[in-house]
Amino acid sequence: QNTLFIFSDEHTREITGCYGDPLVKTPNIDRLAENGTRFNYAYTNSPICVPARASLATGRYVHDIGNWDNGHPYYGETKGWGHRLMDLGHNVTAIGKLHYRAEEDPTGWSKEIETLHVVEGRGAVSHCVRPRVQGMSTCANLSADAGRGESTYSQYDTSTTANAINWLKNEAPKHTDKPWTLFLGFVLPHFPLRAPEKFYDMYPDVPGPRLYDEKDRPTHPAIKQLSIIQCYDKYFTPEKVKIARTAYYGMVSYLDHCIGQVLATLKAAGLDENTRIVYTSDHGDNLGNRGLWGKSCMFEEAAAIPMIISGADIPKGKVVDTPVSLVDCYQTLIEGAGEKLTDEETSDMPGHSLIDIANGDTPDRTVLSEYHAIGSSTAAFMILDGDYKYVHHVGMRPQLFNLATDPHETTDLAVHPAMSVVLEKCEAKLRAVVNPEQVNDRALAGQAEMVERHGGRVAVLAQGHFGYTPAPGEEPTIGH
């Protein structure tokens, strides 16, 4: 079958109707879940854009490919599912946000249409400066920009939608010899937190963030350090918190509206019967919970993502608790195009086909997320073990949560002596996949090398930092 792969940016899983949010309006995403299979425990492989997207492209973990942060953009150095499908004669087209190094790089596309890549082919080299001790001035922009109205991002998604509709109408009929794959990269609901008026006005009374009072915020040193560097909340008033969260809800609904237009075109073109649809996101957004905004940590709001797949061979209305992650998309897209997986793809790579998992396969593997980027003082690694979520911080104490009894992660069990056996088991499970200390050293060395390549720490910090990658035609807002 063909595959329409819809990839949003910064969509936290819980703010989706089919994942239980009673307020947000996401009828098109919800309909995908009704007609397909929804994964309850889906995770990014790194809660920040560039590393997550590199893992998606290659089916490899970040520590395997070295795309540590937003200053290490993917340029095709590790071949991915796009290269494999193209070698087998399939058309693989990308529309919208990719966030790779540059369109000229051989990153696995037959064609790119108005794609968005990192700034100047370098990305955020300032992300490579670790450790940092001062907050970033650009954090003030998150609250200042929040509000009601169009943004360059909502306009870019409008254009991306139009390009997708045009492709399905006019290009898809040209590719009938072998199944095609269309990658559709939306930028919403990534900040700036502005929603078109109609969609902002759908939410007159959104809930406030959880654990927002100072007394309820995390005391873990890694999280406290993150909040110092990514000091977004410093600039928020109670009124701005409400505006920002209202805008996010509106942005999710506008994203859903765009998805609905694409799916309607797919159906009108008669392609829905032989096209498999995948919807997911690169990571989530803390959205004020615990006083945190953006992503960059392992709490569910940032690390958990929606993951839905539908198609003729996918069970309808099914909900799967087997943990999955972005690397699983590699095998999904190869198998989905009707091709056989190689021995390497079945045994030496961490991913497993979501098609197989939706149909009952329960692979014996550990789903991993890791973080080495801006705001982190040390590497963080996250795994699941049954009901437990374990977060390993190199050189610091771990975190442990029971997602079954405490889905909002209000109580860190790692501080309780009675949990020592569970912690030991989780750490052993993590170390069976990765050596945390070794990887932390490699990440720091790779980042230091990148900083030196661009003139050294002082020079890189003097160049400033931009809060988000601008849409095509927009200049980045530089701060320090």
Side-chain angles (χ1 to χ4, degrees):
Q1 291 189 29
N2 307 311
T3 300
L4 172 61
F5 193 101
I6 304 172
F7 200 53
S8 63
D9 196 320
E10 206 146 323
H11 185 186
T12 190
R13 183 173 66 199
E14 67 178 0
I15 302 182
T16 319
C18 60
Y19 279 99
D21 190 301
L23 180 63
V24 74
K25 297 175 177 63
T26 51
N28 297 295
I29 296 174
D30 297 348
R31 200 171 300 116
L32 271 181
E34 290 169 13
N35 294 325
T37 293
R38 172 170 62 85
F39 297 91
N40 255 347
Y41 296 97
Y43 291 90
T44 182
N45 298 114
S46 186
I48 193 167
C49 290
V50 165
R53 290 163 181 272
S55 281
L56 171 68
T58 61
R60 304 279 185 181
Y61 289 138
V62 171
H63 65 267
D64 288 329
I65 54 179
N67 300 92
W68 304 112
D69 49 54
N70 282 1
H72 283 84
Y74 178 64
Y75 57 90
E77 66 277 28
T78 303
K79 300 300 183 187
W81 51 264
H83 301 93
R84 178 97 151 80
L85 288 175
M86 286 172 61
D87 288 346
L88 292 167
H90 297 267
N91 180 275
V92 189
T93 296
I95 299 173
K97 181 173 181 178
L98 287 174
H99 223 211
Y100 297 166
R101 188 174 69 176
E103 184 174 347
E104 295 75 29
D105 291 327
T107 50
W109 306 108
S110 308
K111 186 175 183 181
E112 295 184 25
I113 301 172
E114 287 189 23
T115 49
L116 184 155
H117 292 286
V118 301
V119 174
E120 297 176 350
R122 296 183 297 116
V125 179
S126 63
H127 283 206
C128 301
V129 177
R130 295 174 64 212
R132 295 180 70 153
V133 294
Q134 293 181 325
M136 302 179 297
S137 64
T138 51
C139 289
N141 298 337
L142 187 66
S143 60
D145 292 342
R148 177 177 179 269
E150 291 279 355
S151 70
T152 55
Y153 267 20
S154 62
Q155 292 166 348
Y156 182 53
D157 276 356
T158 301
S159 177
T160 295
T161 302
N163 284 328
I165 289 171
N166 179 64
W167 194 91
L168 290 170
K169 286 180 176 178
N170 300 311
E171 290 298 318
K174 300 176 184 177
H175 305 287
T176 56
D177 53 334
K178 285 195 172 187
W180 48 257
T181 295
L182 176 63
F183 178 95
L184 187 54
F186 289 109
V187 285
L188 294 186
H190 190 290
F191 55 83
L193 295 170
R194 296 190 68 83
E197 289 88 344
K198 173 183 174 182
F199 295 87
Y200 185 96
D201 294 343
M202 290 165 66
Y203 300 101
D205 191 22
V206 298
R210 293 187 295 269
L211 306 171
Y212 193 69
D213 289 346
E214 287 287 346
K215 64 179 176 57
D216 296 326
R217 296 186 182 186
T219 58
H220 192 284
I223 306 303
K224 290 183 76 69
Q225 174 72 6
L226 174 67
S227 66
I228 290 170
I229 305 304
Q230 296 191 9
C231 53
Y232 298 111
D233 197 61
K234 174 181 176 181
Y235 304 98
F236 273 91
T237 63
E239 180 187 10
K240 270 294 188 180
V241 169
K242 182 174 182 180
I243 290 170
R245 288 179 59 87
T246 299
Y248 187 88
Y249 271 74
M251 291 159 73
V252 171
S253 285
Y254 186 66
L255 164 70
D256 183 85
H257 169 72
C258 292
I259 291 172
Q261 290 182 289
V262 174
L263 296 182
T265 303
L266 187 78
K267 185 176 179 64
L271 296 167
D272 55 320
E273 292 298 322
N274 65 338
T275 300
R276 196 177 288 103
I277 303 165
V278 178
Y279 173 68
T280 188
S281 195
D282 58 352
H283 48 72
D285 191 310
N286 290 297
L287 213 59
N289 293 311
R290 302 175 179 82
L292 302 172
W293 300 82
K295 47 276 185 179
S296 306
C297 64
M298 296 301 175
F299 290 116
E300 291 289 278
E301 296 90 345
I305 53 175
M307 183 83 80
I308 299 165
I309 184 168
S310 71
D313 55 351
I314 305 297
K316 288 181 167 50
K318 186 174 181 179
V319 179
V320 172
D321 287 339
T322 302
V324 296
S325 73
L326 290 176
V327 295
D328 294 319
C329 296
Y330 183 106
Q331 287 78 6
T332 304
L333 290 162
I334 301 298
E335 184 179 298
E339 303 293 350
K340 290 185 177 180
L341 299 172
T342 65
D343 289 342
E344 180 188 14
E345 290 165 346
T346 56
S347 59
D348 294 339
M349 296 177 69
H352 291 260
S353 169
L354 295 169
I355 301 168
D356 296 341
I357 297 173
N359 282 288
D361 187 23
T362 54
D364 181 18
R365 51 80 183 265
T366 300
V367 167
L368 174 74
S369 187
E370 59 189 291
Y371 188 75
H372 310 276
I374 187 74
S376 62
S377 46
T378 189
F381 301 86
M382 183 275 287
I383 65 162
L384 300 183
D385 184 36
D387 293 338
Y388 290 107
K389 176 179 177 178
Y390 172 77
V391 184
H392 186 95
H393 301 273
V394 173
M396 297 181 181
R397 70 171 178 84
Q399 293 172 286
L400 183 71
F401 302 97
N402 187 320
L403 295 180
T405 60
D406 182 26
H408 295 317
E409 300 164 295
T410 62
T411 303
D412 185 353
L413 301 173
V415 299
H416 299 309
M419 302 305 295
S420 60
V421 173
V422 173
L423 287 168
E424 288 173 10
K425 182 185 176 190
C426 288
E427 182 175 353
K429 188 172 183 177
L430 171 67
R431 289 185 179 278
V433 179
V434 63
N435 182 317
E437 292 79 17
Q438 224 175 60
V439 168
N440 187 46
D441 289 345
R442 282 177 45 222
L444 290 169
Q447 289 163 325
E449 180 186 352
M450 182 68 75
V451 169
E452 285 306 308
R453 195 184 309 168
H454 287 86
R457 183 185 180 100
V458 173
V460 167
L461 290 178
Q463 292 169 8
H465 170 77
F466 45 90
Y468 62 92
T469 301
E474 179 187 11
E475 290 297 317
T477 301
I478 305 294
H480 293 86

